[in-house]
Amino acid sequence: MRPVPAGPYPGTVTFPVVGMVGGGQLARMTHEAGIPLGVRFKLLSDTAQDSAAQVVGDVVVGDHRDLETLRSFARGCDVITFDHEHVPTGHLRALEADGVPVRPGPDALVHAQDKGVMRERLDALGVPCPRHRIVRDPADVAAFAAEGAVGGGSAGSAGFPVVLKTVRGGYDGKGVWLVRDEAEAAVPFRAGVPVLAEEKVEFVRELAANVVRSPHGQAVAYPVVESIQVDGVCDTVIAPAPGLPAERAVRAQELALRIAEELDVVGHLAVELFETGDGRVLVNELAMRPHNSGHWTQDGAVTSQFANHVRAVLDLPLGDPRPRARWTVMANVLGGDYPDMYTAYLHCMARDPQLKIHMYGKDVKPGRKVGHVNTYGDDLADVRERAAHAAGYLRGTIQE
Amino acid sequence: MRPVPAGPYPGTVTFPVVGMVGGGQLARMTHEAGIPLGVRFKLLSDTAQDSAAQVVGDVVVGDHRDLETLRSFARGCDVITFDHEHVPTGHLRALEADGVPVRPGPDALVHAQDKGVMRERLDALGVPCPRHRIVRDPADVAAFAAEGAVGGGSAGSAGFPVVLKTVRGGYDGKGVWLVRDEAEAAVPFRAGVPVLAEEKVEFVRELAANVVRSPHGQAVAYPVVESIQVDGVCDTVIAPAPGLPAERAVRAQELALRIAEELDVVGHLAVELFETGDGRVLVNELAMRPHNSGHWTQDGAVTSQFANHVRAVLDLPLGDPRPRARWTVMANVLGGDYPDMYTAYLHCMARDPQLKIHMYGKDVKPGRKVGHVNTYGDDLADVRERAAHAAGYLRGTIQE
């Protein structure tokens, strides 16, 4: 039985303000998902033209690397969450010290910011990962490669190729190198930042296990998806991953839920995985925010990753993550040579009245993610064809 | 084969700007639906606190009854559409004369603004309507009532009760009176505006046929729904209308499509209907904008009424209107004695993880529509109970 307040009618003053740091498409789509909940959305964006800044009412233009900007922004917010992982950990601790809930918190987020910290922690938890080690210089990379050599490989390239990653700041294939010998291994060190070496896993495909966790410890797991990369950038996501044995799917979900729990993640956690020929799943990357591998949930799940992220950071009960269709496919729309995507709507929408388009309001640049499409249905081949056609037509690589 | 423009890369400058007049919840939800399409949204709102003004980035605060305000607002817009029917017809003609596409256009919209014009036109089209006539005074109402008397009725009240409506400005039961005799019929005339008399139809239930039509003449019809009113305000919508014979559903859809075509409606058209015991469907009201009876489409149809309204006013191909679930139920959330709806989220979301909440950011006032909920599933009784429970709990009339 809830008490009815006495006295003058107080209105709906209890609806909280969610402060979103970063003006990219994830913020844009989180705002879209937050509108129905009636929560207020406040945005800290690099520019007034950023993807989210175009559609949010309450926008502060400022630099997320500046502590005073963050502090001033946070004053009107009940909780702070993120479009990206680029806010310095120290700044987040300062906001927490000011009494602002930061979700995910800095102690969780550092595992998505620093691949060295992430690998160390996952090792300690016994989570299966590619073989890895922080490396000092190209000779150390060669030593790392040799440690993993299992016969084969000519002199000087034993155990190569090796994957090198800057421990901070990489995304979408940037900050990642596949090197074939010691000479090639010189490049990543030129930036002067720590470099992590990882074995090149001979995976059969990439998967992603997406979960959402709230401060009171409730968590939901989305179906495990297959993620198809082209040139290091996510191209297509299929939900659920076709032919994935139930035992393996559950193992991947349990892994993601355990990581969320152990790292005290609040909000959406994407665990990118390699599936190997012998049935193992190894953790590739972590992201603690809505993620490209979860975009299919906007049209394919009862509750989208964006809606559940909002619910989680506000410590509200989470929504049902189950799929609404047998198959859902997401295809990213990349910029191509043909910039006029809007005119392409005529053809795409007329061809497929069930097509769900999600554009980000970004200027087209070749190779840049400017939107995605979702399709769903019972026939996977048809659902894939429709998504691929629409993404290709919008990009301009398909002309009919 | 589309030509690839030469020269400097022009970006995505072709995405249009939709100008929405009116800052209510329909504008709010249309903005939400427009975000994925990447179209720009510009709002003319009475205040900066209006429902839509809270969530839209580009807001002009101004009076939609002032032509110069409208003209200035329209300058940055590729098309003008509406949250309500209150813009004077002359102003809309002036905007059209300025070269701004107005959708729906003034010649269509007048049928949703003026019930006298609407009845006259529907009569001319042979569309079944309640018996009706413009009345001059209470004595004329009595004469109208007597014309419809079919035996019974005591002296002086033959043919009563009669429904009286102001021809302009009514909504949600306001501007509508059910009068039992000539004395009661005096009230509506006090405002000095023309009054329409209509027979009190002995309907078995109310239905709504929602269609969307584009300038190039494409149209889609949503499933016919049952609309349950309480105290003259929409309380619950069930999609599709349970037990409606297919022939009658098709007849209602055809009626709505024909009205949209004949009146040259562009955008969403809601045709509110009476279903009578002898299987007739009579037109009650028209609305030329997204409508309460279509809110179920947000979670229950492939393409929502809001997304299709945006597509229609931009003359884009329309999206699939088919349902995604066997049953979808919408229940309006009205303000009650308990203003703290946000805290009620904890219980509602925990009780029903599939519940879809849509709040409008409005202060709670008793009886005011401040949101709605959608539920869907295979079992109608369960789907109705979940919607009614959530709406009642949010309002405060259910405490457990």
Side-chain angles (χ1 to χ4, degrees):
Chain A
M1 184 82 177
R2 292 172 293 154
V4 174
Y9 211 69
T12 50
V13 290
T14 55
F15 278 71
V17 177
V18 174
M20 171 65 79
V21 177
Q25 64 262 28
L26 302 176
R28 179 185 176 102
M29 294 185 278
T30 305
H31 171 58
E32 179 193 339
I35 290 173
L37 294 178
V39 301
R40 307 294 174 120
F41 203 82
K42 192 175 165 189
L43 184 74
L44 179 62
S45 180
D46 287 346
T47 81
Q49 287 73 47
D50 281 14
S51 176
Q54 296 169 19
V55 299
V56 172
D58 191 356
V59 180
V60 174
V61 173
D63 187 345
H64 58 266
R65 296 165 302 186
D66 179 67
L67 180 55
E68 284 317 305
T69 298
L70 283 169
R71 277 195 155 126
S72 165
F73 172 73
R75 247 166 244 137
C77 301
D78 293 292
V79 61
I80 296 291
T81 190
F82 310 96
D83 171 79
H84 56 63
E85 291 103 356
H86 305 325
V87 181
T89 305
H91 289 8
L92 299 179
R93 289 197 210 286
L95 293 179
E96 282 196 326
D98 292 346
V100 183
V102 174
R103 292 171 178 169
D107 292 333
L109 197 61
V110 68
H111 299 92
Q113 294 175 311
D114 188 309
K115 298 183 204 299
V117 173
M118 182 264 282
R119 286 291 179 223
E120 190 175 356
R121 183 65 183 275
L122 295 187
D123 283 349
L125 294 174
V127 168
C129 292
R131 192 174 68 86
H132 61 89
R133 167 157 85 67
I134 297 287
V135 284
R136 294 182 308 272
D137 53 36
D140 199 18
V141 175
F144 172 83
E147 290 159 22
V150 286
S154 57
S157 66
F160 280 100
V162 160
V163 178
L164 298 181
K165 299 176 174 177
T166 58
V167 297
R168 280 186 177 256
Y171 69 98
D172 272 357
K174 293 172 185 64
V176 178
W177 294 264
L178 182 68
V179 298
R180 288 168 296 182
D181 54 34
E182 188 175 327
E184 283 189 4
V187 177
F189 293 95
R190 286 178 194 151
V193 294
V195 174
L196 179 73
E198 295 184 350
E199 67 171 316
K200 169 78 176 69
V201 175
E202 290 304 319
F203 58 84
V204 291
R205 61 177 169 175
E206 294 189 59
L207 304 173
N210 288 312
V211 298
V212 185
R213 182 173 173 273
S214 66
H216 73 281
Q218 188 191 11
V220 294
Y222 286 98
V224 175
V225 299
E226 176 174 348
S227 172
I228 299 166
Q229 319 285 316
V230 174
D231 298 332
V233 177
C234 177
D235 181 85
T236 302
V237 169
I238 305 172
L244 187 67
E247 175 277 325
R248 205 172 301 168
V250 169
R251 182 148 40 94
Q253 289 178 314
E254 285 176 344
L255 197 64
L257 289 168
R258 183 161 161 247
I259 292 170
E261 169 83 15
E262 294 281 358
L263 272 49
D264 196 22
V265 176
V266 171
H268 189 267
L269 169 70
V271 180
E272 295 184 84
L273 299 161
F274 295 125
E275 183 185 17
T276 63
D278 56 359
R280 290 175 301 146
V281 287
L282 307 176
V283 173
N284 179 20
E285 302 281 357
L286 302 183
M288 294 182 193
R289 47 170 172 73
H291 188 256
N292 204 160
S293 63
H295 289 357
W296 69 274
T297 60
Q298 292 174 303
D299 301 296
V302 175
T303 315
S304 78
Q305 64 166 350
F306 300 102
N308 261 338
H309 185 77
V310 171
R311 288 162 76 147
V313 302
L314 291 170
D315 208 9
L316 291 168
L318 300 176
D320 191 333
R322 280 178 294 182
R324 289 195 72 175
R326 174 79 186 87
W327 299 106
T328 304
V329 170
M330 189 279 325
N332 277 322
V333 177
L334 303 186
D337 291 329
Y338 192 79
D340 179 14
M341 293 199 179
Y342 182 74
T343 303
Y345 277 13
L346 291 175
H347 182 71
C348 291
M349 290 177 172
R351 184 182 193 267
D352 183 1
Q354 296 182 46
L355 178 69
K356 309 307 284 189
I357 294 176
H358 300 267
M359 297 297 282
Y360 307 153
K362 290 180 164 181
D363 283 343
V364 169
K365 292 177 188 170
R368 184 188 205 188
K369 282 185 197 169
V370 296
H372 67 271
V373 295
N374 287 331
T375 53
Y376 56 83
D378 290 330
D379 178 345
L380 179 56
D382 173 67
V383 174
R384 285 194 69 167
E385 189 280 332
R386 287 161 47 215
H389 181 278
Y393 194 89
L394 288 167
R395 185 176 186 172
T397 53
I398 295 174
Q399 301 278 335
E400 61 189 351
Chain B
M1 184 80 179
R2 293 172 291 155
V4 174
Y9 213 69
T12 50
V13 292
T14 55
F15 279 73
V17 177
V18 174
M20 171 64 78
V21 176
Q25 64 263 29
L26 301 176
R28 179 186 177 100
M29 294 185 278
T30 306
H31 170 58
E32 180 193 338
I35 290 174
L37 294 178
V39 300
R40 307 293 174 120
F41 203 82
K42 193 176 165 188
L43 185 74
L44 179 63
S45 180
D46 287 346
T47 81
Q49 287 74 47
D50 281 15
S51 176
Q54 296 168 20
V55 298
V56 172
D58 191 356
V59 180
V60 174
V61 173
D63 187 344
H64 57 266
R65 296 165 301 187
D66 178 68
L67 179 56
E68 282 319 304
T69 298
L70 283 169
R71 279 196 153 128
S72 165
F73 172 74
R75 245 165 247 138
C77 301
D78 293 294
V79 61
I80 296 291
T81 190
F82 309 97
D83 171 80
H84 56 63
E85 289 104 356
H86 306 324
V87 181
T89 304
H91 290 8
L92 299 180
R93 288 198 210 287
L95 292 180
E96 282 196 325
D98 291 346
V100 183
V102 175
R103 294 172 177 168
D107 292 332
L109 197 61
V110 68
H111 299 91
Q113 295 175 312
D114 188 307
K115 298 182 204 301
V117 173
M118 182 264 283
R119 286 292 180 224
E120 190 174 355
R121 183 65 185 275
L122 295 187
D123 283 350
L125 294 173
V127 169
C129 291
R131 191 175 69 84
H132 60 89
R133 163 157 88 67
I134 296 288
V135 284
R136 295 181 307 275
D137 53 36
D140 199 18
V141 175
F144 172 83
E147 290 161 19
V150 286
S154 56
S157 65
F160 278 99
V162 160
V163 178
L164 298 181
K165 299 176 174 178
T166 57
V167 296
R168 280 186 177 255
Y171 69 99
D172 271 358
K174 293 172 186 63
V176 178
W177 294 263
L178 182 67
V179 299
R180 286 167 298 182
D181 53 36
E182 188 174 329
E184 284 190 2
V187 177
F189 293 94
R190 286 176 195 154
V193 293
V195 174
L196 179 73
E198 294 184 352
E199 68 171 314
K200 169 78 176 69
V201 175
E202 290 304 320
F203 57 85
V204 291
R205 60 175 171 176
E206 294 189 57
L207 304 173
N210 289 312
V211 298
V212 184
R213 183 174 174 275
S214 66
H216 72 280
Q218 188 192 13
V220 294
Y222 286 99
V224 175
V225 298
E226 176 174 349
S227 171
I228 300 168
Q229 320 284 317
V230 174
D231 298 333
V233 177
C234 177
D235 180 85
T236 302
V237 169
I238 305 172
L244 187 68
E247 175 277 324
R248 205 172 301 167
V250 169
R251 181 148 40 93
Q253 288 177 315
E254 285 177 345
L255 197 63
L257 289 168
R258 183 162 163 244
I259 293 170
E261 169 83 16
E262 295 282 359
L263 272 50
D264 196 21
V265 176
V266 170
H268 190 266
L269 168 70
V271 181
E272 296 184 83
L273 299 161
F274 296 125
E275 183 185 16
T276 64
D278 56 359
R280 290 174 301 145
V281 287
L282 307 177
V283 172
N284 180 20
E285 303 281 357
L286 302 183
M288 293 181 195
R289 49 169 170 73
H291 187 257
N292 204 160
S293 63
H295 289 357
W296 70 274
T297 60
Q298 291 174 302
D299 302 295
V302 174
T303 314
S304 79
Q305 65 167 345
F306 300 102
N308 261 339
H309 184 77
V310 171
R311 287 162 76 147
V313 301
L314 291 170
D315 207 10
L316 290 169
L318 300 176
D320 191 333
R322 279 177 296 180
R324 289 194 71 174
R326 174 80 187 85
W327 298 106
T328 304
V329 170
M330 190 281 322
N332 276 322
V333 177
L334 302 186
D337 293 328
Y338 192 79
D340 179 13
M341 292 198 179
Y342 181 73
T343 303
Y345 276 13
L346 291 176
H347 182 72
C348 291
M349 290 177 174
R351 184 181 192 268
D352 183 1
Q354 295 182 46
L355 178 70
K356 308 308 284 188
I357 294 176
H358 299 267
M359 298 297 282
Y360 307 155
K362 290 180 165 181
D363 284 342
V364 169
K365 292 178 188 169
R368 185 187 205 189
K369 281 185 199 170
V370 294
H372 67 272
V373 295
N374 287 331
T375 53
Y376 55 82
D378 290 330
D379 177 347
L380 179 56
D382 174 67
V383 174
R384 284 193 71 168
E385 189 280 331
R386 288 162 47 214
H389 180 279
Y393 195 90
L394 289 166
R395 185 175 185 173
T397 53
I398 295 173
Q399 299 280 333
E400 60 189 354

